[in-house]
Amino acid sequence: MHTHMYEEKADHEKAQYAASLELAESIPSRDNAPRHELKRGLKARHIQMIALGGTIGTGLFMSSGKAIANGGPGGALVAYAVLGILVYCVMMSLGEMAAHVPVAGSFSHFAYRFADPSLGFCVGWVYWANWAVGVAVELTGVAMLMEYWITSVNSVVWSIICLVILLSINVFSVKGYGEIEYWFSFVKIITVVIFIIVGLCVDTGAAGGDHIGTRNFHLEGGAFPNGFLGVFNVFLTAAFSFNGVEIAGITAGESANPHKTVPSAVKQVFIRIVLFYILCILVIGLCIPYTDPNLLNGSSNIAVSPFTLVFRLAGAKWAADLMNAIILVTMISAGNSGVYSSSRTLLALAEQGVAPRFFTRINRFGIPIWSVLATCLVGCLAFLTSLQSSGVVFTWLTNLTSVAGLITWVAIAITHIRFRMGYRRQKRDLKDLPYVAPLFPFGDIFVIIIGLIIIFGQGYKTFEAPIVAGEVIAAYIGVILAVVLYLGHKIIRRPAFIKCADMDFVSGTLPLSKDEPENFSEYEGMPRYKRWFYKILNAIA
């Protein structure tokens, strides 16, 4: 009797899910209003820049100094290298699935479809909360940055202006979002390239007149002054810095040619991680001793950001103003990406039937308007909690999502293993996939092991005597949220794990075009000067 009821419920859920697979379509209204779809308005250069721009943010510009202070120059390099490899493995796995099934919602949808509906529910809501609260963090940061220049205006005004800008970018056109994010990312890239060049000049004595060399790697304690724990402490900082790189997978649902743009973006992630992150950490470690107290203050004070300190060593007195402007652009960019990614995740959750159905409404511009507005509203409410004198609620909200990126990456790796198992079980040929992730399954196993170690080990200090229950809960509240969401959905909805034979590898896919020339370029039809201009930008970036 119970088995029969369970089977009927499972069949009902499968039928409900099958009816909502096409995530790129809106739900028609009762008055037979015309249906609108997400528009594939993102070009190859947009996807590539978004993939890169998602990895360059305040975590690099402001928190990298803290990483070197905690782990030493060698420890920070090792931690960022390990996390860089992890992120690349995540992007390869996500790229394989997103290129084959280019839909909005990406990893939440993939987990729901190829692994376990409860996992899709969990990772979807955790990721949405991560970026919704992230919008509030950026609004707070913008207010602080503007106070550096102008103190006569209430800081809330700047946050409101920033929120209006984010709304304006995200409610009209995905192409507009892509274009603006392209230039935001370009500014960040140019800053990083200039920083690396200037930093190397400072280290060699060409700028500043002091030949530093590897002196700071041979201070007392050496390159690893705090040993293994020093390296481990940097892992969470590095994970926060890399958070956002997975947005490239979400953009597949609105890419003009996901079969080519997604694999191209994935392939460029590794070299850019090495070029930007590893070199930046190396330059900071070479130029600034890990014992410099300013490194610990750089995450909250632009005037002592490690980038500012290196520029000042080169004799640039205006470095603080420059970095304040760059970080302001970075925060607006992060908020912009936050609104975009969380709104598409909320759209996917609504299509799966685990969020209100009105979030599936898409306007004539191809924007999930209610999902965008809801994300901005929640971000605004979270921002208001930061205005309290204690700020306790806001601190808990940020702690709630501190490990959301790592949870998402582990879920992507698990889903990709299930995706490949089902693909093989159904006797499908890997050659039919637009992109095949190398190193399978070792890359996914590496992500799962390292990710879980960091997730459960990041709060180890709270278990040192005396143990305070509130601090332990605060450190692991993000993990607690994920467990509650997963078990709650599993207990209430009782979904079965997706069997390999039942996996759907067809719905939501786009046909591979055999007629498209290999040398097809999005620049075709542009005037020659524009073609060369964009090619030069892409070469730099």
Side-chain angles (χ1 to χ4, degrees):
M1 177 75 175
H2 290 291
T3 303
H4 179 67
M5 290 177 62
Y6 178 78
E7 289 177 349
E8 283 187 348
K9 188 169 186 180
D11 290 341
H12 174 71
E13 288 200 354
K14 287 180 181 178
Q16 182 186 35
Y17 175 60
S20 63
L21 280 175
E22 296 299 330
L23 295 184
E25 294 184 2
S26 65
I27 301 300
S29 62
R30 295 180 179 177
D31 58 359
N32 295 321
R35 291 168 31 166
H36 298 292
E37 299 179 353
L38 294 175
K39 297 184 183 295
R40 295 190 176 275
L42 295 176
K43 304 296 184 183
R45 60 188 180 87
H46 296 146
I47 304 294
Q48 291 168 7
M49 275 295 198
I50 289 170
L52 179 60
T55 64
I56 300 177
T58 53
L60 177 62
F61 289 136
M62 300 181 71
S63 300
S64 49
K66 178 182 176 183
I68 291 173
N70 289 332
L77 271 176
V78 170
Y80 271 81
V82 171
L83 262 293
I85 295 171
L86 183 146
V87 166
Y88 184 53
C89 292
V90 169
M91 288 302 296
M92 288 190 294
S93 300
L94 180 58
E96 179 175 302
M97 296 184 289
H100 180 61
V101 188
V103 294
S106 190
F107 34 83
S108 170
H109 171 79
F110 299 147
Y112 200 96
R113 181 168 168 173
F114 301 117
D116 179 12
S118 295
L119 181 62
F121 173 84
C122 168
V123 72
W125 279 112
V126 165
Y127 193 74
W128 175 79
N130 173 45
W131 280 109
V133 174
V135 171
V137 173
E138 305 308 332
L139 293 178
T140 305
V142 166
M144 292 172 55
L145 288 176
M146 292 306 298
E147 285 183 339
Y148 180 84
W149 286 313
I150 304 173
T151 57
S152 59
V153 177
N154 192 312
S155 60
V156 178
V157 173
W158 301 117
S159 297
I160 294 173
I161 293 174
C162 180
L163 184 61
V164 171
I165 292 173
L166 297 181
L167 265 174
S168 302
I169 294 172
N170 281 276
V171 298
F172 292 114
S173 168
V174 69
K175 187 176 181 180
Y177 158 78
E179 199 64 42
I180 290 173
E181 198 58 31
Y182 179 89
W183 290 107
F184 279 165
S185 297
F186 181 70
V187 170
K188 293 187 282 187
I189 291 165
I190 290 297
T191 302
V192 169
V193 171
I194 294 174
F195 170 78
I196 292 172
I197 295 172
V198 171
L200 292 176
C201 290
V202 169
D203 182 64
T204 57
D210 180 16
H211 183 274
I212 300 173
T214 59
R215 181 198 313 161
N216 292 325
F217 275 70
H218 297 90
L219 298 175
E220 184 179 356
F224 300 87
N226 298 316
F228 171 77
L229 284 180
V231 177
F232 187 82
N233 288 333
V234 180
F235 276 146
L236 198 61
T237 303
F240 171 73
S241 299
F242 285 120
N243 192 20
V245 68
E246 69 285 337
I247 292 176
I250 296 179
T251 61
E254 292 167 272
S255 169
N257 187 4
H259 291 156
K260 291 191 175 182
T261 56
V262 173
S264 177
V266 170
K267 291 173 183 176
Q268 294 181 40
V269 164
F270 181 72
I271 188 64
R272 293 179 179 187
I273 286 175
V274 172
L275 179 63
F276 296 128
Y277 269 91
I278 305 302
L279 283 182
C280 280
I281 294 298
L282 176 62
V283 166
I284 296 171
L286 287 171
C287 296
I288 305 173
Y290 74 89
T291 53
D292 190 330
N294 286 325
L295 290 176
L296 286 173
N297 300 324
S299 58
S300 58
N301 187 351
I302 288 82
V304 290
S305 157
F307 277 61
T308 304
L309 295 177
V310 172
F311 280 129
R312 280 183 174 168
L313 288 175
K317 297 180 179 179
W318 37 262
D321 290 294
L322 171 67
M323 288 311 303
N324 200 62
I326 298 299
I327 294 171
L328 179 62
V329 170
T330 298
M331 285 188 168
I332 296 174
S333 172
N336 190 33
S337 295
V339 172
Y340 173 82
S341 58
S342 56
S343 63
R344 271 51 176 188
T345 302
L346 187 56
L347 168 66
L349 291 169
E351 291 282 3
Q352 293 164 9
V354 292
R357 291 180 67 84
F358 67 84
F359 287 131
T360 60
R361 299 285 177 149
I362 298 174
N363 65 15
R364 61 191 178 90
F365 301 112
I367 302 297
I369 185 66
W370 292 112
S371 297
V372 171
L373 293 176
T375 296
C376 289
L377 177 62
V378 171
C380 187
L381 293 175
F383 165 71
L384 292 177
T385 65
S386 70
L387 300 180
Q388 296 178 343
S389 56
S390 62
V392 174
V393 176
F394 187 69
T395 301
W396 274 68
L397 285 174
T398 52
N399 287 341
L400 201 67
T401 58
S402 60
V403 293
L406 285 163
I407 293 172
T408 300
W409 296 342
V410 171
I412 290 171
I414 294 171
T415 303
H416 183 244
I417 291 175
R418 293 290 300 157
F419 173 90
R420 190 69 78 85
M421 288 174 63
Y423 203 83
R424 286 292 199 184
R425 185 70 58 86
Q426 295 185 20
K427 310 293 184 183
R428 295 177 180 272
D429 192 345
L430 290 178
K431 293 180 181 178
D432 294 332
L433 293 173
Y435 172 72
V436 178
L439 304 180
F440 176 85
F442 304 107
D444 293 320
I445 294 172
F446 177 78
V447 172
I448 294 170
I449 293 175
I450 299 298
L452 290 178
I453 289 174
I454 299 173
I455 289 171
F456 289 103
Q458 47 90 22
Y460 75 92
K461 288 185 177 180
T462 61
F463 292 101
E464 297 175 354
I467 298 176
V468 180
E471 293 180 359
V472 175
I473 294 174
Y476 288 97
I477 191 170
V479 180
I480 295 171
L481 171 66
V483 172
V484 169
L485 287 172
Y486 180 84
L487 293 180
H489 185 268
K490 183 64 74 177
I491 292 170
I492 296 172
R493 301 291 289 268
R494 298 181 63 83
F497 291 98
I498 307 300
K499 297 179 180 179
C500 292
D502 296 335
M503 292 181 186
D504 179 7
F505 292 98
V506 177
S507 301
T509 60
L510 295 177
L512 283 167
S513 175
K514 304 295 184 182
D515 300 325
E516 184 175 321
E518 289 296 322
N519 61 349
F520 172 79
S521 171
E522 64 175 290
Y523 307 127
E524 293 297 328
M526 285 186 179
R528 180 176 297 179
Y529 75 91
K530 279 192 175 183
R531 291 204 303 268
W532 279 104
F533 177 67
Y534 282 120
K535 286 179 180 179
I536 291 172
L537 290 189
N538 285 335
I540 296 174

